[in-house]
Short mmCIF file of all heavy atoms in Angstrom, two decimals:
data_model
loop_
_atom_site.label_atom_id
_atom_site.label_comp_id
_atom_site.label_asym_id
_atom_site.label_seq_id
_atom_site.Cartn_x
_atom_site.Cartn_y
_atom_site.Cartn_z
N ALA B 383 -21.89 5.49 2.29
CA ALA B 383 -20.45 5.28 2.42
C ALA B 383 -19.67 5.87 1.25
O ALA B 383 -18.90 5.27 0.60
CB ALA B 383 -20.23 3.76 2.43
N THR B 384 -19.94 7.16 1.10
CA THR B 384 -19.33 7.86 -0.05
C THR B 384 -17.96 8.44 0.20
O THR B 384 -17.38 9.15 -0.60
CB THR B 384 -20.26 8.96 -0.63
OG1 THR B 384 -20.85 9.72 0.47
CG2 THR B 384 -21.38 8.40 -1.40
N GLY B 385 -17.37 8.22 1.36
CA GLY B 385 -15.99 8.52 1.70
C GLY B 385 -15.57 9.91 1.45
O GLY B 385 -16.38 10.86 1.67
N SER B 386 -14.36 10.13 1.01
CA SER B 386 -13.85 11.43 0.77
C SER B 386 -13.01 11.45 -0.43
O SER B 386 -12.67 10.41 -1.03
CB SER B 386 -13.10 11.93 2.01
OG SER B 386 -12.11 10.96 2.34
N ARG B 387 -12.65 12.64 -0.92
CA ARG B 387 -11.81 12.78 -2.10
C ARG B 387 -10.62 13.72 -1.78
O ARG B 387 -10.70 14.41 -0.73
CB ARG B 387 -12.61 13.40 -3.23
CG ARG B 387 -13.26 14.75 -2.95
CD ARG B 387 -14.05 15.33 -4.09
NE ARG B 387 -14.54 16.68 -3.83
CZ ARG B 387 -15.72 16.92 -3.23
NH1 ARG B 387 -16.56 15.96 -2.79
NH2 ARG B 387 -16.12 18.15 -3.03
N ALA B 388 -9.62 13.74 -2.55
CA ALA B 388 -8.46 14.54 -2.30
C ALA B 388 -8.89 16.07 -2.45
O ALA B 388 -9.58 16.45 -3.35
CB ALA B 388 -7.36 14.24 -3.33
N ARG B 389 -8.42 16.85 -1.49
CA ARG B 389 -8.60 18.30 -1.52
C ARG B 389 -7.76 18.84 -2.66
O ARG B 389 -6.54 18.65 -2.63
CB ARG B 389 -8.32 18.97 -0.20
CG ARG B 389 -8.44 20.49 -0.29
CD ARG B 389 -8.22 21.14 1.03
NE ARG B 389 -9.40 21.00 1.91
CZ ARG B 389 -9.40 20.35 3.06
NH1 ARG B 389 -8.29 19.88 3.55
NH2 ARG B 389 -10.52 20.26 3.71
N PRO B 390 -8.39 19.52 -3.65
CA PRO B 390 -7.55 19.98 -4.78
C PRO B 390 -6.76 21.28 -4.41
O PRO B 390 -7.04 21.87 -3.38
CB PRO B 390 -8.63 20.38 -5.84
CG PRO B 390 -9.85 20.59 -5.02
CD PRO B 390 -9.80 19.91 -3.81
N TRP B 391 -5.75 21.55 -5.21
CA TRP B 391 -5.02 22.79 -5.10
C TRP B 391 -5.99 24.02 -5.24
O TRP B 391 -6.88 23.93 -6.04
CB TRP B 391 -3.91 22.79 -6.11
CG TRP B 391 -3.08 24.07 -6.07
CD1 TRP B 391 -2.88 25.03 -7.06
CD2 TRP B 391 -2.30 24.49 -4.94
NE1 TRP B 391 -2.03 25.99 -6.61
CE2 TRP B 391 -1.68 25.75 -5.35
CE3 TRP B 391 -2.05 24.00 -3.68
CZ2 TRP B 391 -0.83 26.46 -4.47
CZ3 TRP B 391 -1.21 24.72 -2.81
CH2 TRP B 391 -0.62 25.94 -3.20
N SER B 392 -5.80 25.03 -4.38
CA SER B 392 -6.91 26.04 -4.33
C SER B 392 -7.03 26.84 -5.55
O SER B 392 -8.08 27.38 -5.81
CB SER B 392 -6.46 26.98 -3.12
OG SER B 392 -5.18 27.46 -3.30
N ASN B 393 -6.00 26.96 -6.37
CA ASN B 393 -6.09 27.76 -7.60
C ASN B 393 -6.39 26.78 -8.76
O ASN B 393 -5.57 25.95 -9.16
CB ASN B 393 -4.83 28.53 -7.86
CG ASN B 393 -4.87 29.36 -9.14
OD1 ASN B 393 -5.33 28.85 -10.15
ND2 ASN B 393 -4.34 30.54 -9.03
N PRO B 394 -7.60 26.78 -9.32
CA PRO B 394 -8.02 25.83 -10.35
C PRO B 394 -7.12 25.90 -11.57
O PRO B 394 -6.89 24.85 -12.17
CB PRO B 394 -9.41 26.17 -10.68
CG PRO B 394 -9.89 27.12 -9.64
CD PRO B 394 -8.70 27.70 -9.02
N THR B 395 -6.70 27.11 -12.01
CA THR B 395 -5.85 27.16 -13.17
C THR B 395 -4.46 26.51 -12.94
O THR B 395 -4.08 25.67 -13.80
CB THR B 395 -5.57 28.64 -13.51
OG1 THR B 395 -6.88 29.33 -13.49
CG2 THR B 395 -5.01 28.75 -14.96
N GLU B 396 -3.92 26.71 -11.75
CA GLU B 396 -2.64 26.11 -11.46
C GLU B 396 -2.78 24.54 -11.23
O GLU B 396 -2.02 23.83 -11.63
CB GLU B 396 -2.12 26.72 -10.16
CG GLU B 396 -1.68 28.17 -10.30
CD GLU B 396 -1.23 28.84 -9.03
OE1 GLU B 396 -0.94 28.19 -8.04
OE2 GLU B 396 -1.19 30.13 -9.04
N ALA B 397 -4.01 24.21 -10.64
CA ALA B 397 -4.26 22.79 -10.38
C ALA B 397 -4.40 22.04 -11.73
O ALA B 397 -4.13 20.84 -11.81
CB ALA B 397 -5.56 22.62 -9.63
N GLY B 398 -4.77 22.83 -12.77
CA GLY B 398 -4.93 22.18 -14.11
C GLY B 398 -3.69 22.04 -14.94
O GLY B 398 -3.66 21.45 -16.06
N LEU B 399 -2.53 22.57 -14.45
CA LEU B 399 -1.28 22.43 -15.17
C LEU B 399 -0.89 20.97 -15.36
O LEU B 399 -1.15 20.19 -14.41
CB LEU B 399 -0.20 23.16 -14.42
CG LEU B 399 -0.27 24.68 -14.36
CD1 LEU B 399 0.81 25.23 -13.40
CD2 LEU B 399 -0.05 25.27 -15.81
N ALA B 400 -0.38 20.60 -16.40
CA ALA B 400 0.15 19.27 -16.68
C ALA B 400 1.30 19.05 -15.59
O ALA B 400 2.07 19.95 -15.30
CB ALA B 400 0.74 19.10 -18.03
N GLY B 401 1.26 17.89 -14.98
CA GLY B 401 2.27 17.55 -13.98
C GLY B 401 1.82 17.82 -12.62
O GLY B 401 2.55 17.60 -11.62
N VAL B 402 0.52 18.37 -12.40
CA VAL B 402 0.13 18.57 -11.04
C VAL B 402 -0.92 17.44 -10.71
O VAL B 402 -1.88 17.27 -11.42
CB VAL B 402 -0.62 19.98 -10.93
CG1 VAL B 402 -1.18 20.16 -9.53
CG2 VAL B 402 0.40 21.04 -11.24
N HIS B 403 -0.64 16.68 -9.66
CA HIS B 403 -1.41 15.51 -9.29
C HIS B 403 -2.04 15.59 -7.92
O HIS B 403 -1.52 16.32 -7.08
CB HIS B 403 -0.49 14.27 -9.35
CG HIS B 403 0.03 13.92 -10.72
ND1 HIS B 403 -0.37 12.83 -11.42
CD2 HIS B 403 0.97 14.56 -11.45
CE1 HIS B 403 0.27 12.75 -12.54
NE2 HIS B 403 1.09 13.80 -12.61
N THR B 404 -3.12 14.86 -7.74
CA THR B 404 -3.57 14.51 -6.40
C THR B 404 -3.62 12.96 -6.30
O THR B 404 -3.52 12.31 -7.41
CB THR B 404 -4.97 15.01 -6.09
OG1 THR B 404 -5.87 14.65 -7.11
CG2 THR B 404 -4.96 16.63 -5.99
N LEU B 405 -3.79 12.44 -5.15
CA LEU B 405 -3.79 10.93 -4.97
C LEU B 405 -4.94 10.53 -4.15
O LEU B 405 -4.95 10.81 -2.90
CB LEU B 405 -2.43 10.51 -4.42
CG LEU B 405 -2.31 9.03 -4.22
CD1 LEU B 405 -2.51 8.19 -5.44
CD2 LEU B 405 -0.87 8.73 -3.58
N ARG B 406 -5.88 9.90 -4.76
CA ARG B 406 -7.00 9.28 -3.90
C ARG B 406 -7.38 7.89 -4.54
O ARG B 406 -7.58 6.97 -3.85
CB ARG B 406 -8.21 10.21 -3.94
CG ARG B 406 -9.39 9.72 -3.18
CD ARG B 406 -9.15 9.82 -1.69
NE ARG B 406 -10.05 8.96 -0.92
CZ ARG B 406 -10.07 8.79 0.38
NH1 ARG B 406 -9.25 9.55 1.11
NH2 ARG B 406 -10.84 7.92 1.03
N GLY B 407 -7.47 7.94 -5.89
CA GLY B 407 -8.01 6.70 -6.57
C GLY B 407 -6.96 5.95 -7.29
O GLY B 407 -5.80 6.41 -7.38
#
Side-chain angles (χ1 to χ4, degrees):
Chain B
T384 44
S386 54
R387 60 181 183 271
R389 175 174 286 119
W391 180 240
S392 54
N393 179 317
T395 313
E396 295 174 15
L399 291 170
V402 177
H403 294 249
T404 55
L405 178 56
R406 180 76 200 178

